Amino acid sequence: MGFLDGLWRGREPEFDSGSAATNSIQLTKRHSQVSLTRQGAATGHLRINLSWRMRTSDIQGIQRESLLRHPFKALKPPEVVAHSQSMVNVDLDLGCLYELKDGTRGVVQPLGGFLGDVNDPPYVKLSGDDRFGSASGETMYVNLDHKDAIKRLLVFAYIYDQTPAFDRTHAVVTLYPSNGPRIEIGLDERHPQARSCAVVMIENVKDEILVRREVKFVYGFQGELDRLYGWGLQWGRGHKSKAER
């Protein structure tokens, strides 16, 4: 929808849409929800990706280039794609709290090896744990061919180890439906001490699959997200085994 179209029709679009070149929908506080059903994308595999980036000025110990040698580059620090622990010094993980129509509740996450299953309950599967980072980040799949069995899914991100740094990681969660534009949710609010963030809720409401932006930061971990949304799971402290590069 063009800007003038919105004025003539006297209404606003249902969401913030990206440019035609990027073909994306950006969920914001003002326009926080989109229906996958209405855009014909409530079937097939919904891919969910967590990625993050930093500027070199955010990384301690890296100095900006000389103003005399590179006057323009020095004014704007270069942006680097970074999931590397040596650079970012954090281990961001992607997870999902799920509730099925039959009352089954649980979690899909790297910690504990709860990677899920895409063809059987909970119909959510994490592709693996990106411990040190790659260009693709971490990816999760939801099998919407079984949407009738799904009640709600809360996709979240958390910092497993090292210093909380959500305010510097510029993390983005992107949903890639089977049809239509991708959906982006930026974790760009400043909560420097937060360790976890409820990012997006995917809900089956009267047979309509709705995607709603949450972006609620908490200072604890999964248990605190559980209490916030009333999942009622039992949590214990877990640790990852040491990984080699």
Side-chain angles (χ1 to χ4, degrees):
M1 177 187 295
F3 175 71
L4 292 177
D5 292 336
L7 289 179
W8 288 118
R9 297 175 187 175
R11 61 184 178 88
E12 296 178 344
E14 293 181 357
F15 44 74
D16 290 347
S17 59
S19 67
T22 59
N23 190 31
S24 67
I25 295 169
Q26 295 180 0
L27 295 186
T28 64
K29 286 183 177 179
R30 187 176 180 183
H31 303 293
S32 61
Q33 183 170 283
V34 64
S35 169
L36 294 185
T37 303
R38 292 182 186 180
Q39 68 180 43
T43 58
H45 287 176
L46 171 66
R47 179 163 61 96
I48 304 172
N49 178 260
L50 166 68
S51 62
W52 65 94
R53 65 190 186 278
M54 292 187 71
R55 295 185 184 277
T56 54
S57 60
D58 291 335
I59 303 171
Q60 190 175 11
I62 296 180
Q63 297 181 353
R64 298 171 66 172
E65 296 183 67
S66 167
L67 186 61
L68 294 176
R69 293 180 59 188
H70 302 283
F72 295 106
K73 287 185 178 180
L75 294 175
K76 182 179 181 181
E79 202 171 74
V80 293
V81 175
H83 310 308
S84 171
Q85 200 170 23
S86 61
M87 297 180 69
V88 185
N89 203 34
V90 294
D91 180 7
L92 274 179
D93 281 343
L94 181 66
C96 176
L97 286 167
Y98 63 83
E99 182 179 3
L100 304 183
K101 289 286 188 68
D102 65 4
T104 302
R105 298 182 182 186
V107 66
V108 173
Q109 63 177 20
L111 191 61
F114 298 109
L115 301 183
D117 195 300
V118 77
N119 294 314
D120 292 302
Y123 308 111
V124 180
K125 183 174 178 60
L126 191 65
S127 62
D129 180 14
D130 179 15
R131 298 292 292 273
F132 302 108
S134 65
S136 61
E138 291 199 354
T139 301
M140 179 183 296
Y141 297 91
V142 178
N143 189 346
L144 291 180
D145 288 336
H146 294 274
K147 59 182 177 292
D148 291 342
I150 297 172
K151 182 177 181 179
R152 59 175 179 160
L153 307 173
L154 179 66
V155 178
F156 62 89
Y158 63 97
I159 298 174
Y160 169 71
D161 203 0
Q162 306 298 335
T163 304
F166 267 115
D167 61 327
R168 295 190 295 116
T169 56
H170 308 289
V172 176
V173 170
T174 306
L175 283 66
Y176 297 87
S178 59
N179 183 55
R182 67 181 183 267
I183 302 166
E184 296 180 349
I185 304 101
L187 310 185
D188 50 7
E189 297 178 15
R190 290 191 60 82
H191 292 271
Q193 298 304 314
R195 285 193 171 274
S196 305
C197 179
V199 180
V200 62
M201 181 77 79
I202 303 169
E203 225 170 349
N204 188 338
V205 180
K206 297 180 180 179
D207 297 325
E208 183 176 9
I209 301 301
L210 301 176
V211 174
R212 184 177 69 248
R213 177 188 185 272
E214 296 292 327
V215 189
K216 294 181 179 178
F217 290 89
V218 299
Y219 297 98
F221 291 96
Q222 296 92 320
E224 191 167 342
L225 291 175
D226 181 317
R227 289 189 291 274
L228 185 62
Y229 287 90
W231 237 266
L233 302 181
Q234 297 295 320
W235 298 90
R237 188 65 174 166
H239 300 278
K240 294 183 183 180
S241 59
K242 186 176 181 181
E244 299 295 334
R245 286 186 181 274

